[in-house]
Structures are given as structure tokens and as C-alpha cells.
Amino acid sequence: MKQIVFLALMIMPLLSFAGASDALLSLLKTPPSERIQLSSEKLNALETLKKLGIINSEPDIVADYNHIYMANKQVPILGGVLLALDHEYFDSYVGCCVNPGIALVMHVGEKSVDALRLMEFAKENACSVTPFEQAIMANELEESLLDTSNKEDIVVLSCKLHDEANTQIE
């Protein structure tokens, strides 16, 4: 019995990461036509990330139409590790330049297999992959991420309305 309990305790963190990765993929796979308003299924995926403690229940940074959540746990996804999640939304028009959808800020390694997997996902799901230095992000996010990671190893996988596979890295 002790072995079963021990095994269950060992597997639980892995299951939460699997659940978190699935929730992240679900958010990213939203077709461009549905990115303006997230469906209840997608909002549930966002809530799952909050319940698992991957992101806080409230955004860490609020900028214009963006709610940006810093990752509380390292979640592997598409060959990288989640650093932050950007949920850009459209409730009411207050200016210009809203681009609804989800973007992940990720730390990626130098493995070409992982980079290829990321590029294939972006192409299949009308997303873009951009080096962090070239991405338009809130200054507060840039400041907090550069304290923890080498900026050359950070990319933004953006699955927002206007991305349409506008990939800028090879």
C-alpha cells in the first residue's frame, strides 16, 4: 500500500504538467476565426492553468488589451519551457491595434528537432514564432524575463488573429 501511495505522489506532478501542456495546446489551437472571443472551452483551459498553479488567478501585467501571466512553474511545451502567457482580448474598442488570441513566451534550447516541431505547430495552427527581441511585448514583461533568462533563448509563439504563420526565425 505504501508503494502505491508513493507511486501516486511521484506521478501527480507529471500529470499536472501533462494537463498544463494540454491546456496550453488547446488555447493555441484556436482557429483564427474564433480568436476574437475565446470559447467557454478555451476559457476552461485558461482556468485549468490557474487551478494547477501554472499561472496566477489574476494577471501579473495588464497592458492595453493584454493580460500577461508569468509562469509559476516550468511547463514543457513544444520543445520549450513556458515563461509567460499573453491573453490579448477584445471586450470593447478603446483604441487601435487589438490582436485577440494567445501568445506564449518560451525558453527554447538549441535542439533543431525542437525548433522544427515548434515551426510545424505554428504553420499548422496559423501562428507566428518571433525572437523575443523582435516581438512587441509589454516593457514590464521584458524587464522581468531578462532577469531570469538569456534573451537569445526566448521566443514568442503567438496564435492571435493577425499572425497567420508570420514566422521570423529559422
Side-chain angles (χ1 to χ4, degrees):
M1 183 65 170
K2 288 181 182 179
Q3 292 173 336
I4 293 172
V5 171
F6 178 75
L7 183 60
L9 291 173
M10 294 297 293
I11 292 174
M12 283 179 65
L14 297 175
L15 293 176
S16 70
F17 284 134
S21 295
D22 291 343
L24 288 168
L25 289 172
S26 170
L27 287 167
L28 296 171
K29 288 183 177 181
T30 304
S33 61
E34 296 175 18
R35 291 179 181 163
I36 293 176
Q37 293 293 331
L38 286 182
S39 67
S40 61
E41 173 189 333
K42 303 302 179 188
L43 291 173
N44 286 339
L46 198 56
E47 287 304 312
T48 297
L49 294 171
K50 293 174 182 180
K51 287 178 185 173
L52 291 172
I54 304 302
I55 58 175
N56 292 328
S57 59
E58 296 296 321
D60 297 291
I61 301 169
V62 176
D64 298 326
Y65 297 101
N66 300 74
H67 280 175
I68 300 171
Y69 301 86
M70 303 303 293
N72 295 325
K73 298 177 183 176
Q74 292 190 344
V75 177
I77 181 157
L78 298 171
V81 176
L82 177 69
L83 297 175
L85 181 147
D86 173 18
H87 173 214
E88 191 167 346
Y89 57 92
F90 183 78
D91 282 338
S92 61
Y93 188 74
V94 263
C96 75
C97 313
V98 65
N99 188 16
I102 300 290
L104 302 184
V105 180
M106 304 166 51
H107 182 270
V108 293
E110 297 178 16
K111 299 177 191 171
S112 59
V113 173
D114 291 338
L116 180 61
R117 186 169 149 209
L118 183 61
M119 296 304 173
E120 286 174 357
F121 180 88
K123 185 176 180 181
E124 290 170 6
N125 293 282
C127 301
S128 66
V129 179
T130 308
F132 186 75
E133 295 174 305
Q134 296 172 15
I136 299 171
M137 301 301 273
N139 289 336
E140 298 91 347
L141 176 62
E142 184 173 350
E143 290 168 9
S144 62
L145 286 179
L146 295 181
D147 290 343
T148 60
S149 298
N150 183 354
K151 63 183 174 183
E152 288 84 28
D153 295 334
I154 301 173
V155 298
V156 176
L157 171 61
S158 181
C159 297
K160 296 184 178 183
L161 185 62
H162 304 296
D163 287 321
E164 298 294 326
N166 180 24
T167 302
Q168 297 180 16
I169 66 172
E170 300 298 324

